[in-house]
Amino acid sequence: MKKRLIEVAEFAGVSEGTVRRALNGSPLVAQATRERVLRALDVLGLPRPSAVEMERSPLIGVVVPDLQNPVFPAFAEAIAGRLNKRGLVPALCTRTADGVSEANYIEMLLGQNIGGIVFIGSSYADAGPEQGRALKSRGVPMVLVNPADENDGSVQISADDGDAVMQSLTHLTAVGHERVGLLIGPSGHVPSARKLAAFAAFWGARGVVSKGWMPLVGHALFSLESGAAETVRLIGRGATAIVCGSDELALGAIRGARRLGLDVPRDVSVTGFDDSMFMVAVDPPLTTCRQPVSRMADAAVEALTQQMNGQTLTPGITLFRTQLILRNSTGRPHAQTSQ
């Protein structure tokens, strides 16, 4: 096959990579160049690709679970801008209150013979089994950003959840906290599972047995109210600081602490994850781990266009380190500051 591609490239006067892109229907190949490649196929007696393969549009689906979590719009905006610069057309797809789901969007996108899809905080598995099979069978280029579930065989771009927890725990224990809680998403949520594994490793390395840290782990839905309710339980078990799996959960944790008449950070310290917009302006400004949205968006769009250009990428996860941003929601435990 490679020898034939070289022959087509030589006859058409283009590179082998351009031939691959043309045969895969990449919107990045000029129409005149595509015609030269097709004529070379005809002359050499090679079959042309099917119409479906050749008519893939420059439309790129950008799929997010919702727009309530501020980090999802941040990623969507960053990715859309980078797609536009490459001559590609982003189409934002998100669940709506009237029942439009990822599956509905995928069906519409497949009808347009899309050029590719970027899933943010979700994956093709969320689109439903039938739609997921259709995406794979058609060879639609896909990249998953911070997917919520396991996705073996897919190209994934993710924040390093484990390292973020380690940074937060290192900071909190350095200022004197010994009873630190972990507030994360539901069981089965993959980024939360990575955070939990890091939490266990941190305490295990310090000789703390599982029964010492397990009661300080809380699972909640990603909402203010769910975070607040679980925080009340964690504080009741002696937590003086709480590492949260998202900024939304962290704001819920602050609300839960205040319901108990406690002050943040005087009585309870709280850290978040994402560094969403306005976290510097909440009360108190939130200490949180910042995701490198720009660099992750660069990597996601590069991986997508490489696939659109006919390159085969090795499936797996590329992790990006977060940065702990210190603000006013963390401090020394009250018992020590009063001495």
Side-chain angles (χ1 to χ4, degrees):
M1 180 62 184
K2 183 171 179 62
K3 182 179 179 181
R4 290 185 172 184
L5 287 176
I6 293 174
E7 291 175 350
V8 172
E10 290 177 348
F11 190 94
V14 297
S15 68
E16 183 182 341
T18 298
V19 171
R20 289 183 182 275
R21 288 191 288 273
L23 297 182
N24 282 308
S26 170
L28 304 179
V29 177
Q31 185 60 34
T33 302
R34 180 177 286 109
E35 290 298 329
R36 289 209 308 275
V37 170
L38 293 176
R39 283 197 298 272
L41 292 174
D42 295 338
V43 171
L44 296 172
L46 299 174
R48 290 191 175 202
S50 68
V52 170
E53 291 173 326
M54 287 301 300
E55 293 174 3
R56 186 162 284 168
S57 79
L59 188 68
I60 305 297
V62 180
V63 182
V64 296
D66 60 70
L67 296 176
Q68 301 302 311
N69 185 335
V71 79
F72 291 158
F75 270 112
E77 180 181 25
I79 288 169
R82 287 156 175 78
L83 292 172
N84 276 320
K85 289 180 179 178
R86 295 178 184 239
L88 301 170
V89 182
L92 180 63
C93 307
T94 184
R95 296 175 193 159
T96 63
D98 57 358
V100 178
S101 66
E102 286 99 330
N104 300 125
Y105 283 115
I106 297 305
E107 289 179 2
M108 288 187 284
L109 291 170
L110 286 172
Q112 298 297 319
N113 204 20
I114 53 169
I117 296 183
V118 179
F119 288 95
I120 302 171
S122 60
S123 73
Y124 63 86
D126 296 316
E130 182 178 343
Q131 288 75 18
R133 285 193 296 270
L135 288 171
K136 286 201 162 186
S137 66
R138 294 195 188 187
V140 175
M142 291 186 290
V143 176
L144 282 56
V145 178
N146 288 333
D149 50 10
E150 296 286 356
N151 293 275
D152 293 337
S154 300
V155 177
Q156 303 177 47
I157 305 296
S158 294
D160 193 336
D161 300 279
D163 182 70
V165 167
M166 290 290 189
Q167 290 185 59
S168 295
L169 286 171
T170 299
H171 163 59
L172 292 169
T173 54
V175 298
H177 290 279
E178 298 177 356
R179 299 281 291 172
V180 182
L182 178 68
L183 180 56
I184 49 179
S187 299
H189 181 251
V190 169
S192 293
R194 290 198 290 259
K195 290 181 174 74
L196 178 56
F199 191 75
F202 182 90
W203 293 115
R206 284 155 181 76
V208 180
V209 297
S210 59
K211 67 179 182 180
W213 57 261
M214 284 186 67
L216 296 177
V217 174
H219 293 274
L221 300 176
F222 286 101
S223 70
L224 292 176
E225 283 305 313
S226 185
E230 191 61 24
T231 294
V232 170
R233 187 186 72 82
L234 293 175
I235 292 174
R237 294 191 173 186
T240 63
I242 300 176
V243 175
C244 299
S246 73
D247 289 343
E248 189 172 18
L249 284 178
L251 295 180
I254 293 172
R255 177 179 293 185
R258 287 174 174 166
R259 284 179 181 170
L260 295 174
L262 303 176
D263 178 78
V264 176
R266 187 177 69 91
D267 301 308
V268 180
S269 287
V270 175
T271 70
F273 178 84
D274 287 335
D275 194 27
S276 312
M277 187 180 296
F278 305 129
M279 290 304 102
V280 69
V282 298
D283 180 27
L286 186 68
T287 294
T288 185
C289 285
R290 175 182 294 166
Q291 292 200 59
V293 173
S294 294
R295 291 193 293 116
M296 293 173 68
D298 284 337
V301 172
E302 179 63 24
L304 184 75
T305 54
Q306 285 178 354
Q307 293 177 71
M308 294 174 67
N309 290 338
Q311 297 184 44
T312 300
L313 302 186
T314 302
I317 304 175
T318 300
L319 294 177
F320 284 76
R321 196 168 191 261
T322 63
Q323 178 186 5
L324 182 65
I325 306 299
L326 296 177
R327 297 194 180 106
N328 295 349
S329 66
T330 56
R332 298 184 67 81
H334 178 51
Q336 295 189 24
T337 58
S338 63
Q339 291 177 356

